[in-house]
Amino acid sequence: MADSSAGLEKAPLGISAEEAKPPARSRSFSMASLTLGRARSALSVLSVFTLLSVLLFSAISSAKLHKFNKFANADRQQYLIGVGKADITGPVVEINFAGYANLDQTGSGLRQRLYSRAFIIADANNPNDRFVYLVLDTQSGDTAMRNGLLDGLKALGSEYSVYGQNNIALTGTHSHSGPGAWFNYLLPQITSLGWDKQSYQAIVNGAVLSVQRAHENLQEGYLDVGSTDISDGAINRSLWAYLNNPDEERAQYNAETDITMTLLRFQRASDGKNIGVLSWFPVHGTSMLGNNTHASGDNKGVAAWLLESAMADDPNAAEGFVAGFSQANVGDTTPNVLGAWCDDGSGQQCSLENSTCADGKSQSCHGRGPEFQALDLGVKSCHEMGRRQFAGAQSIYNSIDSSGTPVTGSSVKSFHFFQDMRYFNFTLPDGTKAQTCPAALGYSFAAGTSDWPGAFDFTQGESGNPDNPFWGVVGGLLKAPGPQQVACQQPKPILLDVGEVSTPYAWTPNIVDVQMLRVGQLVIIISPSEATTMSGRRWKAAVAKEAATFLDESPIVVLGGPANSYAHYCATPEEYDIQRYEGASTLYGRNELNAYINLTVSNMHYLLPNSTATPSQGTLPPDNRNSMISFITGVVQDSSPLGKNFGSVLVQPHPTYSIGDIVNVTFQAANPRNNLRQEQTFAAIEQQGSDGSWTQVRDDSDWFLVYTWRRTNFILGQSEVDITWETYGNAQPGTYRVKYYGDSKPLIGSISSFTGTSNSFRLS
Ligand SMILES: *[C@@H]1O[C@H](CO)[C@@H](O)[C@H](O)[C@H]1NC(C)=O
Ligand SMILES: *[C@@H]1O[C@H](CO)[C@@H](O)[C@H](O)[C@H]1NC(C)=O
Ligand SMILES: *[C@@H]1O[C@H](CO)[C@@H](O)[C@H](O)[C@H]1NC(C)=O
Ligand SMILES: *[C@@H]1O[C@H](CO)[C@@H](O)[C@H](O)[C@H]1NC(C)=O
Ligand SMILES: *[C@@H]1O[C@H](CO)[C@@H](O)[C@H](O)[C@H]1NC(C)=O
Ligand SMILES: *[C@@H]1O[C@H](CO)[C@@H](O)[C@H](O)[C@H]1NC(C)=O
Ligand SMILES: CC(=O)N[C@H]1CO[C@H](CO)[C@@H](O)[C@@H]1O
């Protein structure tokens, strides 16, 4: 049985469904009759006893076959499915992190490598109808990144020409703790001091490789959707704005954030093993605080790591199982579920209205994660919030055979086009004319949020002039908005009129990606903005209503983003009126959500089962990759003090530790920007076997193994690395040693690799 189906594991691409379809049922019958046929021909020579044995064997086989038929059931819809994962870790030191826009948050090391996870779904009868959904451990998708991915796939040759603008959805998990400086637009480059080619290329290379891997293992399989509620997975960080949505609308929901996780399981047909899952759940990637400087995938990175690790021991999971934890309508959600508190000694919660404290300012207002008392820059809270999503996903996974919904309907469709949001005119469902505006940010943008307050003296909900002269000057330099823009953006008081300036190049997108994907009754909205809870609900409801007009099954609608570009936020008009951070960051004005709904819903005919058309792509957004400004300097040189080599151990581990201790080893180091070691590791733990040999048991993917780099002499380019193993996490007793992999750059000459190895130590 296993042998006969093994050849189907990698169905060749382009093969027709009839040729490739494993004739599961008929094969089970022919196998059975073959067994019986053999039994018959053997009758004359074999004893009755042997015949009984054969019948018994046959019965066992049928039982096995019956089990096989549970997943190879001809009634189930087959698709071509593929999953792939690759390392996108960029320069983890000396580059500002993307997300908090905190100038001081410059990388100093790595807690967990960052990944791109790619999921391909194709129509088995019509394999060119396919899409690829990517989940990157990044703050968002991005136009430069997406162009890089398109270029990279093109370079792989004609086999990859099935992937293009229409069917690539590039989403970010919204982690706030990865290197930045890769954005296509200027505004998010301000705190990173510009663009960094290495940071950009690291993400692009890994994204391309993840798609390539998913493409290479494209095979026949089934899709099932399940869901569960994770009631402690997030809270609403902008309740005051949320409460401005109509009472009767809010009354339809049992929580102020969407607490349902939706999960899509990918099961291969060849042997019924699961090759991956892709889930959607909205919660900000802000468990790691704005003063953390170790790169990680934040809570979704933890969830993915935990589930992929668990699946390594699951008999129903295939090797190389990929777990994508995608972001959803994240806008006003926070993982800091204990609420926002004033760190000013008052013991008070921040004001509901403006997230301010007794001084009237937002600087001391901080959201608290479940383990905030650890005072560890969010590490333990992050693990816990990741664990909650992991547990939710695992519970769906464990019950999906009985309580999940099979995805049915053979067709796989997608559409994508670019829409210029500057004064885009459209009609609301009630017949009123509406318009969006050139991008602009309101005053509360600069206040930040309770996940990390802004550096300047603004408060959320502020409508007057700020006291802070810096922002006044920057705002003025940009351009004072004209009367048309001021009127269009009402009631937003404009701080930064970013959509009307293109010097030195565009500051934020005016042209956004409008995209949707559909497989069977699963409909996926791809949002370039961080939709708030209620925005996502309205958008999904409008899409579901339209989808129901042409689908046989009731539609399952999810929203993924921020994707393809980074178009900041999307609040409802009522939330917009409140002008907290999310409303102030709703770039295109009060009608942004309704415009997104109009643009998606009115193009859903491209998702009809019989549709062969694709929309015209519209005006392409600016590709700034060749005009970027940068003040980021490269590595000049590395050197080590006299008598020390690169990789020398400066501080050895103790001879013995107890589980729970922190092992900390310091090495003479070089700058990790010399070699990103993608698909490899900077840090490792090796365990000694009974024969004395060493085996690597932990690497950079492990949450509890931490790599910290620091410069010790700027002029001479000297540096040190600490490799820290938090054995309270997942360590087992044994004999271990620490390894450090580095690469040094001489002033003249080429970069060379080195290794450091610590003394061994005993953990018990
Ligand atoms: C990091 O930020 C948190 C939250 O504001 C604060 O409590 C903590 O003291 C900061 N830690 C360091 C090391 O700056
Ligand atoms: C939208 O309508 C307004 C008012 O009629 C007009 O000024 C504007 O040019 C229109 N926008 C576009 C993109 O055509
Ligand atoms: C979107 O706006 C256009 C232009 O006004 C209108 O014709 C169309 O009916 C609207 N579509 C939807 C789905 O509301
Ligand atoms: C919130 O900010 C607004 C505008 O600055 C102000 O009028 C209001 O009093 C503030 N509310 C609280 C509770 O601080
Ligand atoms: C596709 O199907 C829809 C609904 O069944 C029908 O209205 C439409 O004309 C069809 N389009 C094409 C191109 O066949
Ligand atoms: C590890 O050791 C280095 C060098 O002694 C020290 O600076 C650092 O704080 C230590 N880290 C931890 C987590 O103890
Ligand atoms: C479900 C949810 O999001 N609830 C929270 C909304 O926000 C308030 C104040 O921040 C919290 O107290 C709720 O628990």
Side-chain angles (χ1 to χ4, degrees), residues 231 234-237 239 255-257 259 337 339-340 349 352:
S231 56
I235 63 165
N236 191 305
R237 73 179 187 192
L239 193 63
E256 294 89 7
T257 62
I259 58 171
V337 293
Q349 285 207 272
L352 186 63

PDB file of all heavy atoms in Angstrom, residues 231 234-237 239 255-257 259 337 339-340 349 352, ligand 7:
ATOM      1  N   SER A 231     -10.033  33.000  23.825  1.00  0.00           N
ATOM      2  CA  SER A 231     -10.622  34.168  24.488  1.00  0.00           C
ATOM      3  C   SER A 231      -9.566  35.013  25.192  1.00  0.00           C
ATOM      4  O   SER A 231      -9.796  36.187  25.465  1.00  0.00           O
ATOM      5  CB  SER A 231     -11.697  33.727  25.472  1.00  0.00           C
ATOM      6  OG  SER A 231     -11.120  32.818  26.381  1.00  0.00           O
ATOM      7  N   ALA A 234      -5.958  38.163  23.005  1.00  0.00           N
ATOM      8  CA  ALA A 234      -5.776  39.587  22.697  1.00  0.00           C
ATOM      9  C   ALA A 234      -6.839  40.385  23.432  1.00  0.00           C
ATOM     10  O   ALA A 234      -7.869  39.828  23.831  1.00  0.00           O
ATOM     11  CB  ALA A 234      -5.921  39.849  21.195  1.00  0.00           C
ATOM     12  N   ILE A 235      -6.611  41.677  23.600  1.00  0.00           N
ATOM     13  CA  ILE A 235      -7.684  42.589  23.993  1.00  0.00           C
ATOM     14  C   ILE A 235      -7.643  43.786  23.045  1.00  0.00           C
ATOM     15  O   ILE A 235      -6.710  43.945  22.255  1.00  0.00           O
ATOM     16  CB  ILE A 235      -7.613  43.075  25.467  1.00  0.00           C
ATOM     17  CG1 ILE A 235      -6.346  43.890  25.717  1.00  0.00           C
ATOM     18  CG2 ILE A 235      -7.755  41.920  26.433  1.00  0.00           C
ATOM     19  CD1 ILE A 235      -6.380  44.702  27.013  1.00  0.00           C
ATOM     20  N   ASN A 236      -8.666  44.608  23.165  1.00  0.00           N
ATOM     21  CA  ASN A 236      -8.736  45.784  22.310  1.00  0.00           C
ATOM     22  C   ASN A 236      -7.971  46.936  22.975  1.00  0.00           C
ATOM     23  O   ASN A 236      -8.267  47.303  24.110  1.00  0.00           O
ATOM     24  CB  ASN A 236     -10.204  46.159  22.108  1.00  0.00           C
ATOM     25  CG  ASN A 236     -10.365  47.195  21.037  1.00  0.00           C
ATOM     26  OD1 ASN A 236      -9.759  48.252  21.111  1.00  0.00           O
ATOM     27  ND2 ASN A 236     -11.171  46.894  20.053  1.00  0.00           N
ATOM     28  N   ARG A 237      -7.013  47.499  22.264  1.00  0.00           N
ATOM     29  CA  ARG A 237      -6.187  48.557  22.859  1.00  0.00           C
ATOM     30  C   ARG A 237      -6.772  49.936  22.565  1.00  0.00           C
ATOM     31  O   ARG A 237      -6.216  50.954  22.994  1.00  0.00           O
ATOM     32  CB  ARG A 237      -4.750  48.459  22.332  1.00  0.00           C
ATOM     33  CG  ARG A 237      -4.596  48.909  20.900  1.00  0.00           C
ATOM     34  CD  ARG A 237      -3.159  48.836  20.402  1.00  0.00           C
ATOM     35  NE  ARG A 237      -3.091  49.439  19.078  1.00  0.00           N
ATOM     36  CZ  ARG A 237      -2.049  49.346  18.267  1.00  0.00           C
ATOM     37  NH1 ARG A 237      -0.985  48.661  18.625  1.00  0.00           N
ATOM     38  NH2 ARG A 237      -2.067  49.938  17.095  1.00  0.00           N
ATOM     39  N   LEU A 239     -10.297  50.766  22.891  1.00  0.00           N
ATOM     40  CA  LEU A 239     -11.705  50.522  23.213  1.00  0.00           C
ATOM     41  C   LEU A 239     -12.553  51.776  23.038  1.00  0.00           C
ATOM     42  O   LEU A 239     -13.689  51.709  22.595  1.00  0.00           O
ATOM     43  CB  LEU A 239     -11.806  49.986  24.642  1.00  0.00           C
ATOM     44  CG  LEU A 239     -13.155  49.386  25.029  1.00  0.00           C
ATOM     45  CD1 LEU A 239     -13.461  48.163  24.182  1.00  0.00           C
ATOM     46  CD2 LEU A 239     -13.172  49.026  26.501  1.00  0.00           C
ATOM     47  N   ALA A 255     -17.137  39.926  21.928  1.00  0.00           N
ATOM     48  CA  ALA A 255     -15.859  40.454  22.394  1.00  0.00           C
ATOM     49  C   ALA A 255     -15.478  41.689  21.584  1.00  0.00           C
ATOM     50  O   ALA A 255     -15.996  41.913  20.487  1.00  0.00           O
ATOM     51  CB  ALA A 255     -14.773  39.403  22.273  1.00  0.00           C
ATOM     52  N   GLU A 256     -14.549  42.458  22.133  1.00  0.00           N
ATOM     53  CA  GLU A 256     -14.113  43.694  21.479  1.00  0.00           C
ATOM     54  C   GLU A 256     -12.959  43.466  20.521  1.00  0.00           C
ATOM     55  O   GLU A 256     -12.397  44.409  19.964  1.00  0.00           O
ATOM     56  CB  GLU A 256     -13.724  44.746  22.522  1.00  0.00           C
ATOM     57  CG  GLU A 256     -14.891  45.242  23.362  1.00  0.00           C
ATOM     58  CD  GLU A 256     -15.122  44.399  24.609  1.00  0.00           C
ATOM     59  OE1 GLU A 256     -14.300  43.513  24.899  1.00  0.00           O
ATOM     60  OE2 GLU A 256     -16.142  44.629  25.288  1.00  0.00           O
ATOM     61  N   THR A 257     -12.531  42.205  20.370  1.00  0.00           N
ATOM     62  CA  THR A 257     -11.623  41.830  19.269  1.00  0.00           C
ATOM     63  C   THR A 257     -12.195  40.539  18.696  1.00  0.00           C
ATOM     64  O   THR A 257     -13.034  39.896  19.321  1.00  0.00           O
ATOM     65  CB  THR A 257     -10.181  41.574  19.760  1.00  0.00           C
ATOM     66  OG1 THR A 257     -10.211  40.477  20.679  1.00  0.00           O
ATOM     67  CG2 THR A 257      -9.577  42.788  20.428  1.00  0.00           C
ATOM     68  N   ILE A 259     -12.042  36.957  18.350  1.00  0.00           N
ATOM     69  CA  ILE A 259     -11.302  35.957  19.130  1.00  0.00           C
ATOM     70  C   ILE A 259     -11.273  34.592  18.447  1.00  0.00           C
ATOM     71  O   ILE A 259     -10.761  33.638  19.009  1.00  0.00           O
ATOM     72  CB  ILE A 259     -11.885  35.820  20.559  1.00  0.00           C
ATOM     73  CG1 ILE A 259     -13.366  35.424  20.494  1.00  0.00           C
ATOM     74  CG2 ILE A 259     -11.686  37.101  21.350  1.00  0.00           C
ATOM     75  CD1 ILE A 259     -13.936  35.049  21.855  1.00  0.00           C
ATOM     76  N   VAL A 337      -2.556  41.812  27.379  1.00  0.00           N
ATOM     77  CA  VAL A 337      -3.934  41.518  27.764  1.00  0.00           C
ATOM     78  C   VAL A 337      -4.293  41.928  29.187  1.00  0.00           C
ATOM     79  O   VAL A 337      -5.448  41.828  29.578  1.00  0.00           O
ATOM     80  CB  VAL A 337      -4.241  40.014  27.575  1.00  0.00           C
ATOM     81  CG1 VAL A 337      -4.224  39.650  26.097  1.00  0.00           C
ATOM     82  CG2 VAL A 337      -3.233  39.139  28.332  1.00  0.00           C
ATOM     83  N   GLY A 339      -4.060  44.926  30.123  1.00  0.00           N
ATOM     84  CA  GLY A 339      -4.481  46.317  30.028  1.00  0.00           C
ATOM     85  C   GLY A 339      -3.315  47.287  30.068  1.00  0.00           C
ATOM     86  O   GLY A 339      -2.154  46.904  30.243  1.00  0.00           O
ATOM     87  N   ALA A 340      -3.620  48.561  29.905  1.00  0.00           N
ATOM     88  CA  ALA A 340      -2.599  49.604  29.822  1.00  0.00           C
ATOM     89  C   ALA A 340      -2.534  50.371  31.144  1.00  0.00           C
ATOM     90  O   ALA A 340      -3.556  50.853  31.628  1.00  0.00           O
ATOM     91  CB  ALA A 340      -2.928  50.545  28.671  1.00  0.00           C
ATOM     92  N   GLN A 349      -4.717  52.843  35.805  1.00  0.00           N
ATOM     93  CA  GLN A 349      -4.764  52.503  34.380  1.00  0.00           C
ATOM     94  C   GLN A 349      -4.720  53.795  33.576  1.00  0.00           C
ATOM     95  O   GLN A 349      -5.103  54.866  34.068  1.00  0.00           O
ATOM     96  CB  GLN A 349      -6.047  51.739  34.066  1.00  0.00           C
ATOM     97  CG  GLN A 349      -5.980  50.298  34.558  1.00  0.00           C
ATOM     98  CD  GLN A 349      -6.869  49.369  33.740  1.00  0.00           C
ATOM     99  OE1 GLN A 349      -8.030  49.218  34.049  1.00  0.00           O
ATOM    100  NE2 GLN A 349      -6.304  48.762  32.699  1.00  0.00           N
ATOM    101  N   LEU A 352      -8.999  55.853  29.373  1.00  0.00           N
ATOM    102  CA  LEU A 352      -9.644  55.097  28.308  1.00  0.00           C
ATOM    103  C   LEU A 352      -9.666  55.910  27.018  1.00  0.00           C
ATOM    104  O   LEU A 352      -9.433  55.408  25.924  1.00  0.00           O
ATOM    105  CB  LEU A 352     -11.077  54.772  28.757  1.00  0.00           C
ATOM    106  CG  LEU A 352     -11.921  53.868  27.879  1.00  0.00           C
ATOM    107  CD1 LEU A 352     -11.290  52.485  27.794  1.00  0.00           C
ATOM    108  CD2 LEU A 352     -13.338  53.772  28.436  1.00  0.00           C
TER     109      LEU A 352
HETATM  110  C1  LIG B   7     -12.190  41.370  24.689  1.00  0.00           C
HETATM  111  C2  LIG B   7     -11.478  42.640  24.923  1.00  0.00           C
HETATM  112  O1  LIG B   7     -10.809  43.115  24.041  1.00  0.00           O
HETATM  113  N1  LIG B   7     -11.652  43.218  26.091  1.00  0.00           N
HETATM  114  C3  LIG B   7     -10.897  44.345  26.570  1.00  0.00           C
HETATM  115  C4  LIG B   7     -11.147  45.617  25.829  1.00  0.00           C
HETATM  116  O2  LIG B   7     -10.398  46.653  26.380  1.00  0.00           O
HETATM  117  C5  LIG B   7     -10.622  46.884  27.762  1.00  0.00           C
HETATM  118  C6  LIG B   7      -9.803  48.082  28.168  1.00  0.00           C
HETATM  119  O3  LIG B   7      -8.582  48.125  27.522  1.00  0.00           O
HETATM  120  C7  LIG B   7     -10.316  45.650  28.567  1.00  0.00           C
HETATM  121  O4  LIG B   7     -10.590  45.863  29.914  1.00  0.00           O
HETATM  122  C8  LIG B   7     -11.129  44.500  28.033  1.00  0.00           C
HETATM  123  O5  LIG B   7     -10.775  43.316  28.688  1.00  0.00           O
END
